Each structure stands twice: as structure tokens, then as C-alpha cells.
Amino acid sequence: MKVEEIPDPAVYRLSFYLRQLEAFRHLNRNTISSKQLGEALGYTDAQVRKDLAYFGQFGHPGIGYRVEELIARLKKILGTDKDCHALLVGVGNLGRALLTYKGFPRKGFHLVAAFDSDPGKIGRRYGELEIQAMSEIVRAVGTLRIRMAIVAVPPESAQDAVNQLVKAGIRGILNFAAVSLTVPEDVFVQSVDLALQLEQLSFRMSLGTIQNSLAAPM
Amino acid sequence: MKVEEIPDPAVYRLSFYLRQLEAFRHLNRNTISSKQLGEALGYTDAQVRKDLAYFGQFGHPGIGYRVEELIARLKKILGTDKDCHALLVGVGNLGRALLTYKGFPRKGFHLVAAFDSDPGKIGRRYGELEIQAMSEIVRAVGTLRIRMAIVAVPPESAQDAVNQLVKAGIRGILNFAAVSLTVPEDVFVQSVDLALQLEQLSFRMSLGTIQNSLAAPM
């Protein structure tokens, strides 16, 4: 199996499966079938089996999936079975907001270093971190053994920042700059599309208004 | 069809279908089958047909889907076939970053008013907007006919802000505050989970390391 063979949306489905399994665990469910897991999320059972088959064999004949076991294995696959350190590049408005975003540590993600190219910001403290110069990235990545970075710089500076990160040994980049980035094959970029979230909301709101047209014969 | 009958992940799939169809259009494809659309995204053709069936009948016998037609209809369903105005509550670090986020206007979303409870911020300008007092929300929603709001306030103020928005007539809320919100049944909340994005990245990075274990017999 190669990374390219797994389509992006399948990656999202893995996160949804995990969240749904955690909800089942909360309800004290010990086992679950692909049909039940699928139904809770609106997938066919074939889709669930196909998705999980990318990663191994998880079901037990006559039992289905063991909830606790599947949670542990999905977390391992997602790489979230242990705490993860990341660095931040770009301490503007967005960067400062991310430094104090409570959702990261809650899921085991910890920002352990922050960098900016603005000399006026270097040496200043935000939260628990002192902002460092970009030239310190290589040393920090080596010392702290960081493999993941969040890029929150203006679009025009993003590629340059990413080049420095890749050179320093970073292998995963969460990109908030609304531009495409060029990286080597062994580096992964996850781009955040906040407009997609508004589109989703827009969908839910407009659903009410299309119900009438759906009720009409088509 | 009721909103509750459509599972959350299906809503995301609609956005993915739309993006994929736009990619096909870019390649000058006029028609597409559910199998081809599914394959590009890693779905079974049955999944594609099931998802689209929530919203109507889109295929043509012997032809499949007409790309241009399906794009137009999905956009209409998503409510993104025309420009959409939204307001912002909370002009802290995150709020200021959102006010200048280029991804919103590019997709037809425009922030047309901004509010904060801090008297020190009211009257100040960020970008094109002058920050207004929370007490002005009702008037602004009525005058500008806004139905959508972005909430970027601290978690402890989120429910209070949302109560004011709902009272003013807002029907859709994009929630950046990492707390659950209580709203009436006819109001929709879309919560942004930035940690999920890091989880996705973590997944792609860890995939390389699990390839060996997958190659082993299980």
C-alpha cells in the first residue's frame, strides 16, 4: 500500500470512524458490525469494510469489530496514540490564536516552539513560548525532535518558510496560508480550508429551503 | 427528508463531490459516471448514488451525470450558488485573522460586520470594518439581512454571544470556540475542529511507518 493510493476523503473517514467508535465505547458497546458503524455515519457496510481494508484486517468472524481494539488500532494508524510535538511558523494574528488554541493539547498535540521572521517579534513571549528567529529552526527541530509544523505566515512567505522547514527535517506541515505548496515526495502537507466549513454550514441552512423542491416529483 | 436524517459525514462528502466535479470540468469532461466520480475519491459507486439520492435524481440513463449540471445543482443545494454575507463576533487574535482570511471571499463568503464586547475595541477599524458593540447586532442583522455568523470569542463567552445572535435572527453559526453550544432546533451550528486537521496530517506521516506491519501476515 502506498500513501497515494489512499484518497484524501478516506483519510477523513478514518477520523469519523474513530470518533463514532469512541461514542459507542461511551455507550458501553463492546462489539460493533460494519453495518452498525456505517449506519451511524451514513455509509454502506461495504464502504466501511473497504476503508478499513486499506489498513489491515480488523474484524472477527461472528463477532464484528471489538470497539476497544479498533479504537486502539485506528489511533495507532492515525499516529495519535501518543502525544505529538509540533512547531509554529508565523506569529501573526492567526499564529497567536493557535498558540492558545485549547483543542490542540486536548487531542495530544503540543506546540513546543514558535518562529517568526519579524525581528520586532523575536524574543517576545506568547503564552509559554518565546518567539525565535527563523535561523533557529534547524537547531530546534534537531534538539526537540519535532517532525510536524504549523505554517501561519502570509501566502507570499509560505513557500520560503516551508523550504526552511523541509531542510530542517520537518515531514508534516499543516498549512493555513491559502496557497499551494511544493514539497518533496516524502513530506506531507495538510491544507486548512476554512471556507469549506462555511460551505457546510450554508448547506445545513439551505436544506430547509430545498425540502419543498425535493418533495415535488423529479 | 429531514436535516437529521443526513449524517454529518455525508455533508462533507457533498463538498468533496463538488470539488472533484470542478476538477473534472477543468479537464473538459462533460459527463461522468458514479463509478468514475467515486473512484476519484475512493468511494464505491453505490455510496455515490446513495449520497446524491438524499437530494434528488441527478443521473441521465446511458449518460451518467452531466458535470456542469451537477455542479450547478450541488452548489444550489450547498447554498453557495450566490454570494453570502456573514457577521463576526469576537475580534481577538483569531477574529482579526478571519477578517483578512482570503479563502472566504474567494468562495463567495463576505464578512460584512464585526462585533466585540470589549469597549476598548469598539469603534476601531480592522480591514474594512469598524468594530461595533454587541448591542448593535440586532440592528445590523435586520438592516444587512445577515443569517450567518462566525463566533470567535473565548469559550466562556460563547453561549452568551450565541444567545444574542439567535435572538437577532441568525440561523447558522460557525463556531471556533471549543465548547458545545445550545441552540434552538432551527439554528445550525458548525464547529471547527482544528485538531482533526492535525490528526489527518499525523495519519499521513505515520502511514510510512505502518507499511511494514501491513506487509506482514495478519
Side-chain angles (χ1 to χ4, degrees):
Chain A
M1 182 195 56
K2 289 179 187 167
V3 175
E4 308 92 78
E5 287 170 18
I6 302 180
D8 278 354
V11 186
Y12 278 93
R13 293 199 286 276
L14 219 61
S15 280
F16 287 126
Y17 292 139
L18 178 58
R19 272 158 184 68
Q20 187 59 48
L21 285 161
E22 287 172 337
F24 279 130
R25 178 172 63 183
H26 193 71
L27 297 169
N28 295 316
R29 291 289 301 265
N30 291 321
T31 60
I32 200 86
S33 69
S34 55
K35 189 159 185 290
Q36 291 165 324
L37 181 55
E39 262 173 8
L41 292 163
Y43 299 120
T44 62
D45 49 340
Q47 183 73 50
V48 173
R49 286 193 299 272
K50 180 187 173 181
D51 285 338
L52 294 178
Y54 280 125
F55 308 102
Q57 197 184 313
F58 302 99
H60 301 279
I63 293 176
Y65 304 110
R66 292 201 174 96
V67 173
E68 197 64 53
E69 178 195 348
L70 190 51
I71 287 175
R73 290 184 65 181
L74 290 188
K75 277 194 169 179
K76 190 150 194 219
I77 289 167
L78 285 163
T80 55
D81 53 332
K82 41 188 175 294
D83 275 13
C84 180
H85 290 182
L87 64 81
L88 171 75
V89 177
V91 194
N93 286 322
L94 179 62
R96 286 198 291 273
L98 294 173
L99 280 177
T100 55
Y101 181 67
K102 301 218 170 37
F104 288 153
R106 202 180 291 158
K107 289 277 177 187
F109 294 105
H110 303 276
L111 293 176
V112 294
F115 304 86
D116 203 288
S117 61
D118 178 357
K121 285 181 185 160
I122 294 160
R124 288 175 69 170
R125 291 190 80 84
Y126 292 103
E128 296 173 4
L129 297 180
E130 188 178 309
I131 312 309
Q132 303 178 65
M134 298 290 285
S135 55
E136 296 294 312
I137 289 178
V138 173
R139 193 196 45 74
V141 169
T143 313
L144 300 168
R145 300 190 175 192
I146 309 168
R147 297 185 61 235
M148 196 183 274
I150 298 180
V151 172
V153 301
E156 61 274 18
S157 324
Q159 186 62 55
D160 183 54
V162 164
N163 293 347
Q164 294 188 56
L165 290 170
V166 170
K167 218 173 181 175
I170 289 293
R171 285 296 164 263
I173 292 164
L174 187 65
N175 174 32
F176 279 91
V179 284
S180 292
L181 299 171
T182 306
V183 294
E185 263 189 14
D186 60 341
V187 176
F188 303 100
V189 175
Q190 175 85 13
S191 289
V192 177
D193 182 355
L194 295 174
L196 187 138
Q197 305 278 350
L198 270 183
E199 187 176 289
Q200 295 287 311
L201 177 63
S202 162
F203 163 82
R204 300 222 156 256
M205 293 171 66
S206 64
L207 205 51
T209 65
I210 61 161
Q211 284 190 31
N212 288 341
S213 70
L214 283 168
M218 304 186 74
Chain B
M1 181 194 59
K2 290 182 187 164
V3 174
E4 309 91 76
E5 287 170 17
I6 303 180
D8 277 355
V11 187
Y12 278 94
R13 294 199 285 276
L14 219 61
S15 280
F16 287 127
Y17 291 139
L18 179 58
R19 275 159 182 66
Q20 187 59 48
L21 285 161
E22 287 173 337
F24 280 129
R25 177 171 65 183
H26 194 72
L27 296 169
N28 295 317
R29 289 290 302 265
N30 291 320
T31 61
I32 200 87
S33 69
S34 54
K35 188 160 186 292
Q36 291 164 324
L37 180 55
E39 263 173 7
L41 292 163
Y43 300 120
T44 61
D45 50 340
Q47 183 73 52
V48 173
R49 287 194 299 273
K50 180 187 174 180
D51 284 338
L52 294 178
Y54 280 125
F55 307 102
Q57 198 185 312
F58 303 99
H60 301 279
I63 294 175
Y65 303 109
R66 292 200 175 96
V67 173
E68 197 65 52
E69 179 195 347
L70 191 52
I71 287 174
R73 290 184 65 182
L74 290 188
K75 276 194 170 178
K76 190 148 192 221
I77 288 167
L78 286 164
T80 54
D81 53 332
K82 40 189 177 296
D83 275 14
C84 180
H85 291 180
L87 65 82
L88 171 74
V89 177
V91 194
N93 287 322
L94 179 61
R96 286 197 291 275
L98 294 173
L99 280 177
T100 55
Y101 181 67
K102 301 216 171 38
F104 287 153
R106 202 181 289 158
K107 289 279 177 183
F109 294 104
H110 303 277
L111 293 175
V112 294
F115 304 86
D116 202 289
S117 60
D118 178 356
K121 284 180 186 160
I122 294 159
R124 289 175 67 170
R125 292 189 80 85
Y126 293 104
E128 296 174 2
L129 297 180
E130 188 179 307
I131 312 309
Q132 303 178 65
M134 298 291 284
S135 55
E136 296 294 312
I137 289 178
V138 173
R139 192 196 45 75
V141 169
T143 313
L144 301 168
R145 300 189 176 195
I146 309 168
R147 298 183 62 233
M148 196 184 272
I150 298 180
V151 172
V153 302
E156 61 274 18
S157 323
Q159 186 63 54
D160 183 54
V162 164
N163 293 347
Q164 293 188 58
L165 290 170
V166 170
K167 219 173 182 174
I170 289 293
R171 285 296 165 261
I173 292 164
L174 187 65
N175 174 32
F176 279 91
V179 283
S180 292
L181 299 172
T182 306
V183 294
E185 262 188 14
D186 59 341
V187 176
F188 303 100
V189 175
Q190 175 86 12
S191 289
V192 177
D193 182 356
L194 295 174
L196 188 137
Q197 306 277 349
L198 270 183
E199 187 176 289
Q200 295 286 310
L201 177 62
S202 161
F203 163 83
R204 299 220 157 257
M205 293 172 65
S206 65
L207 205 51
T209 64
I210 61 162
Q211 283 190 31
N212 288 341
S213 70
L214 283 168
M218 303 185 78

